[in-house]
């Protein structure tokens, strides 16, 4: 085996940060190689905080999405959350359902049948939501490629908000708002968010707009950590923060379903890592959709 050593990027900066923060030079150099450029960023890496998360309104169309939800709350419209059948989609759906329910929304949810409908928005799901009186559809972890589905929903009088994290194509749905970090040229720390990460930013923006105490939102970080880690997104920047606090919240979750899952997996009361999510918890949840 031949070892290939990475090129040392900006060694003078690595030395300066090591001296300033009192960390080993080798560790400082590794972090500089990974894009750390300041003492503040390095401190955030070692001691992450939820306050390090960027404003949710930096994501394009977030203001439009929030305003449409507030309109639905004021007018008592029925909202359907359209998710996906994997862990990321399930946790995204659960997160927004719990958040909107807390604010008194008339909200229902829909997860497609993997075999009968496949991935993404479906006319079957839209028709079922229309039959139940929904006038606003919010997609989570899907929708960025659902051009025809959004057009179909619109033709039936249903508005659509797309929240997704997948790569867009050259055709973008004509929705009320499309909240997808990959549509932003300057996505920076939130570009690689999982679907549940985008849903969390959306929920965060709603909390800000309503001037509500985010302590209640932070109780749902168990869902965010579970979905983020299970989706195998890079655990860097904002994903690293959400995963870190998500795991700690997961360890003491008060959600009956997740607590039962941890108990049957023999993990309740243990310190959890990303390994436990990827190889023990996620397969059990993904099995339901397969």
């Amino acid at each position: 085996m031949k070892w290939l050593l990475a090129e040392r990027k900006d060694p003078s900066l690595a030395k300066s940060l090591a001296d300033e923060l009192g960390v080993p030079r080798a560790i400082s150099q590794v972090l500089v190689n990974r894009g750390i450029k300041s003492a503040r960023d390095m401190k955030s890496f070692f001691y992450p905080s939820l306050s390090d998360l960027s404003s949710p309104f930096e994501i394009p169309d977030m203001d439009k999405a929030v305003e449409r939800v507030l309109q639905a709350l004021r007018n008592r419209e029925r909202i359907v959350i359209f998710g996906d059948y994997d862990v990321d989609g399930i946790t995204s759906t659960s997160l927004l359902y719990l958040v909107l329910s807390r604010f008194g929304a008339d909200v229902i949810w829909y997860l497609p049948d993997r075999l009968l409908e496949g991935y993404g928005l479906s006319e079957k799901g839209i028709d079922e939501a229309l039959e139940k009186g929904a006038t606003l559809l919010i997609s989570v972890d899907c929708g960025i490629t659902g051009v025809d589905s959004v057009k179909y929903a619109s033709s039936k009088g249903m508005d659509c908000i797309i929240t997704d994290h997948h790569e867009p194509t050259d055709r973008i749905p004509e929705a009320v708002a499309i909240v997808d970090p990959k549509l932003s040229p300057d996505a920076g720390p939130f570009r690689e968010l999982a679907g549940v990460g985008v849903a969390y930013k959306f929920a965060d923006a709603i909390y800000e707009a309503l001037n509500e105490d985010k302590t209640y939102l932070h109780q749902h970080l168990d869902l965010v950590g579970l979905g983020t880690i299970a989706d195998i997104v890079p655990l860097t920047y904002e994903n690293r923060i959400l995963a870190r606090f998500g795991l700690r919240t997961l360890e003491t979750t008060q959600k009956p379903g997740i607590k039962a899952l941890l108990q049957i997996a023999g993990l309740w009361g243990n310190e959890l890592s990303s390994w436990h999510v990827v190889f023990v918890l996620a397969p059990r949840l993904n099995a339901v959709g397969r």
Side-chain angles (χ1 to χ4, degrees), residues 10-280:
D10 203 343
S12 61
L13 174 62
K15 180 180 184 304
S16 173
L17 293 176
D19 293 342
E20 181 177 350
L21 298 178
V23 299
R25 175 79 177 275
I27 292 178
S28 178
Q29 184 64 65
V30 168
L31 294 180
V32 168
N33 278 12
R34 293 184 179 185
I36 298 293
K37 297 179 180 179
S38 68
R40 180 176 180 273
D41 290 342
M42 193 171 287
K43 286 180 181 178
S44 178
F45 182 89
F46 288 122
Y47 308 105
S49 169
L50 292 174
S51 63
D52 294 329
L53 296 173
S54 59
S55 167
F57 289 99
E58 291 183 22
I59 302 178
D61 272 8
M62 186 66 82
D63 54 342
K64 296 178 183 178
V66 170
E67 179 52 41
R68 183 62 184 88
V69 167
L70 296 184
Q71 178 185 330
L73 291 175
R74 289 192 296 267
N75 297 336
R76 296 293 301 160
E77 296 178 62
R78 174 159 288 182
I79 303 169
V80 59
I81 302 169
F82 197 114
D84 187 30
Y85 39 70
D86 67 359
V87 180
D88 192 15
I90 294 169
T91 53
S92 301
T93 303
S94 300
L95 173 66
L96 278 192
Y97 181 88
L98 290 170
V99 167
L100 293 177
S101 295
R102 182 174 184 274
F103 295 132
D106 181 359
V107 58
I108 58 177
W109 55 270
Y110 186 86
L111 297 178
D113 185 300
R114 184 189 186 104
L115 298 178
L116 298 179
E117 299 169 74
Y119 168 77
L121 300 175
S122 68
E123 290 190 9
K124 178 180 181 299
I126 292 170
D127 285 340
E128 185 171 312
L130 287 167
E131 289 174 5
K132 294 180 178 179
T135 55
L136 174 61
L137 179 150
I138 303 175
S139 76
V140 289
D141 191 32
C142 65
I144 192 63
T145 60
V147 176
D148 294 336
S149 296
V150 170
K151 186 176 182 180
Y152 176 76
S154 298
S155 72
K156 300 291 185 177
M158 175 184 282
D159 284 345
C160 295
I161 295 172
I162 304 299
T163 78
D164 202 350
H165 72 120
H166 295 100
E167 291 283 354
T169 64
D170 56 353
R171 296 179 66 207
I172 304 298
E174 295 182 6
V176 170
I178 302 178
V179 181
D180 187 334
K182 289 187 172 64
L183 286 173
S184 173
D186 302 312
F190 50 80
R191 175 175 172 77
E192 298 299 335
L193 287 172
V196 72
V198 178
Y200 179 80
K201 301 292 276 194
F202 187 23
D204 191 20
I206 294 171
Y207 264 78
E208 283 196 18
L210 294 173
N211 197 28
E212 288 285 333
D213 182 0
K214 293 183 183 179
T215 300
Y216 296 99
L217 176 60
H218 296 164
Q219 294 175 358
H220 301 314
L221 283 166
D222 47 5
L223 292 168
V224 183
L226 186 57
T228 295
I229 296 170
D231 217 47
I232 319 295
V233 292
L235 296 185
T236 56
Y237 300 107
E238 298 208 349
N239 283 339
R240 187 170 184 273
I241 298 173
L242 294 174
R244 192 266 189 188
F245 286 94
L247 284 172
R248 300 293 78 82
T249 308
L250 191 60
E251 291 169 355
T252 58
T253 184
Q254 296 304 304
K255 294 181 175 64
I258 299 180
K259 188 173 182 179
L261 178 64
L262 289 167
Q263 289 173 336
I264 201 169
L267 296 178
W268 182 248
N270 294 344
E271 182 176 348
L272 302 177
S273 69
S274 58
W275 186 92
H276 294 108
V277 172
V278 173
F279 295 105
V280 182

